[in-house]
Amino acid sequence: IFFRVCSLFVMATALLHVEAPAKRMSLACVASGVLAGAAVVMVGLFIKDAAPATQLFAVPTTAAMTRTPMTTGMQQRPSVVTYAIPDDAPPVDEAAIAEEAAEAVIEEEEEEERVNPKDLFDGQKTYYPKLADTQADKKLWYAIDATDLRLGRMATEIARILRGSNKPMYHPAMDVGDYVIVYNAEKVTVSGNKRTQKLYRRHTTGRPGSMKVETFDQLQARVPERIVEQAVKGMLPKGILGRQLFRHLKVYKGPAHPHAAQNPIEFKFEGKLAKAAEPVTRGRP
């Protein structure tokens, strides 16, 4: 306190000798701060002498801290509540209550077993074939006996198998089809006058001017495999995918073929495909 009073005296003396208004104002503010600090210290000392510190800053005891305002002074209520049933009350049907409980359990089980249609999809609306679906070990081998089969109907079904459009996971841009073996290619048939009117053109040198023309009968006697190959190739997509699918077609003359190790499945033209095996009419009636 003595130090603060001396400082205040020095500042007051300096304030009287300062002529500049700005400096006088700043010194007055500093002096007011020192005076306020001294007053606070004096008040604190006065309170300390008047009352002990234990009364000013009382620490609650453990018993007072454990008591909560909600339970203090309140009677303890019983945890079990009993109700009195009047004598004229109707009897309780325990069988009906048990039946209702059983029905509720059955409804909960049915709700759990019910499948949400949205859970059947993995975020995609349409299944897109993966790379594993296009591998050679995933493909089947089919064998077709071309004896007395119509060329067009047989080629249509062969193209469907090669493309894989008979599968649920078919995609037009993916190779998801199977292999096809055609034997007895020289016994394929056509309807009407196509044997003499259907022409096959080829260029021996690969350039215009040397075109060779053959009828169906002539080409069937010379290279019967080419008839089936050209019919199927015209039904496949044009481009890289079509050329890749065309390599899965194996056509042979005669009943023998070198693919017995692949265990090919014999494909039958039955049901809706039976028209491919119906006898054809020769020429006009």
Side-chain angles (χ1 to χ4, degrees):
I1 296 174
F2 177 75
F3 175 74
R4 289 180 179 274
V5 172
C6 292
S7 301
L8 183 63
F9 177 75
V10 172
M11 289 183 181
T13 306
L15 183 64
L16 295 175
H17 292 81
V18 173
E19 297 181 357
K23 293 183 178 180
R24 186 180 298 176
M25 182 62 67
S26 61
L27 289 175
C29 294
V30 174
S32 302
V34 173
L35 183 61
V40 170
V41 172
M42 294 178 64
V43 171
L45 294 176
F46 175 77
I47 295 176
K48 181 179 179 181
D49 296 338
T54 56
Q55 296 181 3
L56 292 177
F57 306 97
V59 180
T61 59
T62 306
M65 293 176 65
T66 54
R67 283 201 310 266
T68 58
M70 296 297 296
T71 59
T72 305
M74 298 176 63
Q75 296 181 359
Q76 186 176 2
R77 295 182 179 180
S79 57
V80 179
V81 180
T82 58
Y83 296 94
I85 301 176
D87 298 336
D88 56 348
V92 178
D93 191 356
E94 296 181 357
I97 296 176
E99 185 178 355
E100 292 179 0
E103 291 179 356
V105 172
I106 293 174
E107 290 180 358
E108 292 180 358
E109 294 178 354
E110 292 178 353
E111 184 68 24
E112 293 178 357
E113 294 177 357
R114 191 175 295 112
V115 179
N116 188 359
K118 295 182 179 180
D119 298 337
L120 298 177
F121 300 95
D122 56 349
Q124 303 186 56
K125 294 183 179 180
T126 304
Y127 176 78
Y128 191 84
K130 307 298 187 296
L131 180 62
D133 298 331
T134 63
Q135 300 301 319
D137 56 347
K138 298 291 184 179
K139 298 181 181 298
L140 300 177
W141 287 72
Y142 291 96
I144 297 177
D145 185 4
T147 303
D148 296 333
L149 291 181
R150 297 191 181 187
L151 177 62
R153 294 184 181 274
M154 182 187 68
T156 301
E157 193 60 29
I158 292 174
R160 291 182 67 251
I161 297 174
L162 293 176
R163 296 204 65 187
S165 59
N166 55 343
K167 295 182 178 180
M169 63 177 180
Y170 166 71
H171 192 276
M174 299 289 289
D175 176 16
V176 294
D178 300 316
Y179 288 86
V180 178
I181 304 168
V182 180
Y183 58 94
N184 291 327
E186 74 281 1
K187 298 180 181 180
V188 70
T189 184
V190 290
S191 62
N193 296 324
K194 296 186 182 70
R195 285 188 171 271
T196 56
Q197 293 180 354
K198 186 175 178 61
L199 302 178
Y200 292 88
R201 298 173 176 85
R202 60 188 176 89
H203 297 273
T204 56
T205 61
R207 297 178 60 85
S210 58
M211 184 175 63
K212 302 296 182 181
V213 181
E214 291 178 300
T215 62
F216 180 88
D217 282 337
Q218 293 172 351
L219 185 60
Q220 190 175 32
R222 191 172 65 87
V223 188
E225 298 92 339
R226 189 171 298 175
I227 294 177
V228 179
E229 290 176 352
Q230 289 194 12
V232 176
K233 188 175 182 180
M235 299 180 183
L236 295 177
K238 310 303 182 288
I240 297 177
L241 180 60
R243 291 190 292 270
Q244 181 179 352
L245 297 177
F246 183 71
R247 297 189 190 101
H248 299 166
L249 175 64
K250 315 294 181 181
V251 185
Y252 300 98
K253 177 182 179 181
H257 60 82
H259 302 287
Q262 280 71 33
N263 298 323
I265 303 172
E266 195 69 25
F267 189 87
K268 298 295 184 180
F269 285 84
E270 299 175 348
K272 294 182 179 180
L273 305 177
K275 288 186 176 181
E278 291 180 355
V280 296
T281 58
R282 301 292 181 180
R284 296 181 179 180

